[in-house]
Each structure stands twice: as structure tokens, then as C-alpha cells.
Amino acid sequence: MRAFAHDVFTYPLPPGHRFPLGKYRLVREGAEASPSIDVADARAATWDELGLAHAPDYLARVGDGGLARREELALGLPWSPELVERARRSVGATVAAAQAALADGVGANLGGGTHHAHPDGGRGFCVFNDVVVAVRALRAAGRVQRVLVVDLDVHQGDGTHAAFMEDPEAFTFGVNGFRNYPFRRVPGDLEADFADGVGDDPYLEAVGRLLPQALARARPELCFYLAGADPYERDRLGRLALTKEGLAARDRLVREALARAGVPVCLTLAGGYADPIEDTVEINLTTLREFASPS
Ligand SMILES: [Zn+2]
């Protein structure tokens, strides 16, 4: 499996900031140690590509450091030129992973899944929406039309939903922690919401029951899977309580369902905020190895 990294493009964060910047290097090192995963650095998405998903005035403010204070607060990360470069690389990694998926059946971004970024602005640690950019870039190149987004990050993919609201050829399926961010929801096409503390069995039952419906309704040529590690029981932000074994079973369920349907998959890792961060890294690497293993 080809995988695309962007962790070397780091950016400044204030001490104690809860964004786990360190996990990306650890995930890359683990991926590089896996014989079934071939890691390359991603190119930066171009501003034209970003313009497929985002308003020109927002992109202009991101580019020149002109974000309003409230926009920076909504983003939750301090603006810097390095942050912009990193965010462009992260989108580039998803575009490259999606192209790899179409060629090889699977491709991965060792990050990405920035699903809170709306067309008109960044939110919740997400500067740009990588999946929306990738879908539109592939369509512009005539590569795919119908896509399915399977978003199993614990947080709802509000930005992706907003972008695809009027798009009949982009189907969004998500399973969320009901009391998790964002607090102003944007409806997707098919969603399940769970109360605090829900564990493996009800979660896996829902994925197993709803994913075939999503596939039947979407009839996708390509799937984007946001394999969030934050439904984990020891995640600091996620309110659900899946075990590591439950998350591995979830990934296997998704991989097998997509394989049966013959749908190529672009894997992104999305959120994960466990303490210690090594738990998130282990969950991410288990996901990557599951998708890299021959079926
Ligand atoms: Zn999340």
C-alpha cells in the first residue's frame, strides 16, 4: 500500500496545546517499518485545488495571515506560514492517496481527514477539507464521479456534510458521539449517534448494518474512509468507549465490505487524542496494516 506523509512540515504550537502534533512522526516511523507499506512525502495541494473546496476570500486570508480573531479561535490552531504549508501538504497527501487508491485499490494519507473545514472557513483543527478537495480534483480530471465518505471519527464531519449537501453523487455516512463536537450539526446522508460511554458491540452492530445501506445508496466508484482513532475508550476528547480490539474489528468490517463491493478506498486517519499518544499511534498503525494486508 502506498502511503503519503507530511509530518516533516511541522508548525509552532503553544506549550500544552491539545493538538497531538507528535503522533504523525511516530505513525510514519511505524508505517516505514511495515514491509507492506510504502511511504512517500506528499506534495502540497495547489491553491487552485484548494479553490475547488473553499471560498476565494477565505483562501486569501489563510494565505496572507489575515484571518479574523474569531476565525482563528474557531480553527483552534494559531496561524503561521508553517501551518499553511503543513495543511497544504496534508491535502496533497489525500489527493495522492486517492489517486493511488484508483490505481492500486487502496491508498493512505498518514493523517488527513480534516472534516470540520467548511467551504467558507476552517474549524476544529481543520484548515482545509482534504476529502472535498480530493473528490473535486478527481472529478475535474475525469477520474471518478460517485463517491462515498465513511466517517468513523468520533466527531461529526460537519464541514464535509456542508460541502456535499447539494451533491447527489457524494454520499456521506458517519457514526458519531452525540455529545461530541461540533455542537452545531450539519446533517449527512446517513448517520448514527451514540451516547457517552457506548462500547464495541452497539457500535460494530451499527457499522455492520448501515455500511451496506450506504454502499447500496451511494454506488460509489471510490470510498474515502476516515478511520478516526478517537472513539477509543481512553481518548481525551472522544466520549465513546471502544476498545483497541473493537476499533480493529471496525476497520476489518469496513475493509471487507468495501472489498466485497469492489470499491477502492482512500484511507485517512483523522482524529486521535489518547493519553498516552502511543495508544493513538498503535490504533492508527493497526488500521494501516489492516488495509495494507492482501485480502
Ligand atoms: Zn475527531
Side-chain angles (χ1 to χ4, degrees):
M1 179 175 74
R2 285 189 277 162
F4 298 88
H6 43 78
D7 60 289
V8 296
F9 301 91
T10 190
Y11 57 91
L13 280 179
H17 194 285
R18 62 184 180 170
F19 191 79
L21 196 48
K23 88 161 182 176
Y24 296 89
R25 181 177 60 82
L26 297 173
V27 168
R28 176 175 52 82
E29 289 171 356
E32 283 174 343
S34 301
S36 55
I37 304 175
D38 178 16
V39 181
D41 280 324
R43 68 167 173 86
T46 67
W47 290 98
D48 283 346
E49 287 173 320
L50 298 172
L52 298 169
H54 295 287
D57 58 325
Y58 170 61
L59 293 179
R61 291 195 298 282
V62 173
D64 68 8
L67 292 177
R69 179 74 186 131
R70 63 172 173 75
E71 289 184 298
E72 208 174 25
L73 286 171
L75 177 58
L77 298 169
W79 185 91
S80 63
E82 294 86 357
L83 174 69
V84 178
E85 178 69 16
R86 167 61 168 264
R88 291 177 60 198
R89 297 276 171 173
S90 178
V91 176
T94 296
V95 174
Q99 289 167 336
L102 290 175
D104 306 340
V106 64
N109 180 352
L110 302 183
T114 45
H115 57 172
H116 300 308
H118 284 244
D120 64 350
R123 315 259 206 292
F125 307 151
C126 302
V127 181
F128 306 124
N129 196 307
D130 58 330
V131 167
V132 177
V133 171
V135 168
R136 301 235 171 102
L138 290 172
R139 283 178 177 169
R143 300 292 306 280
V144 294
Q145 198 58 37
R146 304 184 63 86
V147 298
L148 168 64
V149 181
V150 174
D151 187 340
L152 300 186
D153 188 279
V154 79
H155 303 96
Q156 198 217 30
D158 55 334
T160 308
H161 294 175
F164 289 149
M165 181 81 78
E166 305 291 332
D167 186 335
E169 296 184 308
F171 191 95
T172 57
F173 164 51
V175 180
N176 319 306
F178 182 66
R179 291 184 62 227
N180 267 117
Y181 179 94
F183 307 109
R184 191 188 305 165
R185 298 295 179 99
V186 179
D189 292 306
L190 182 63
E191 292 185 89
D193 274 288
F194 282 117
D196 291 8
V198 163
D200 294 345
D201 290 347
Y203 187 99
L204 293 171
E205 188 278 327
V207 174
R209 181 167 44 82
L210 296 175
L211 181 54
Q213 292 181 28
L215 279 162
R217 289 170 64 184
R219 292 181 291 114
E221 298 157 86
L222 176 63
C223 175
F224 290 82
Y225 175 35
L226 282 71
D230 49 13
Y232 176 50
E233 57 189 344
R234 291 176 65 197
D235 195 88
R236 289 177 298 131
L237 303 186
R239 291 178 165 278
L240 301 185
L242 273 71
T243 64
K244 287 178 181 173
E245 294 73 28
L247 288 162
R250 172 197 73 170
D251 293 338
R252 197 172 317 119
L253 216 163
V254 172
R255 184 177 71 82
E256 290 177 353
L258 294 174
R260 272 197 305 275
V263 177
V265 56
C266 172
L267 175 64
T268 67
L269 299 179
Y273 311 91
D275 186 12
I277 199 62
E278 283 75 13
D279 279 358
T280 296
V281 172
E282 183 188 337
I283 293 164
N284 287 162
L285 289 172
T286 301
T287 300
L288 288 162
R289 291 191 197 107
E290 172 66 34
F291 278 82
S293 68
S295 31

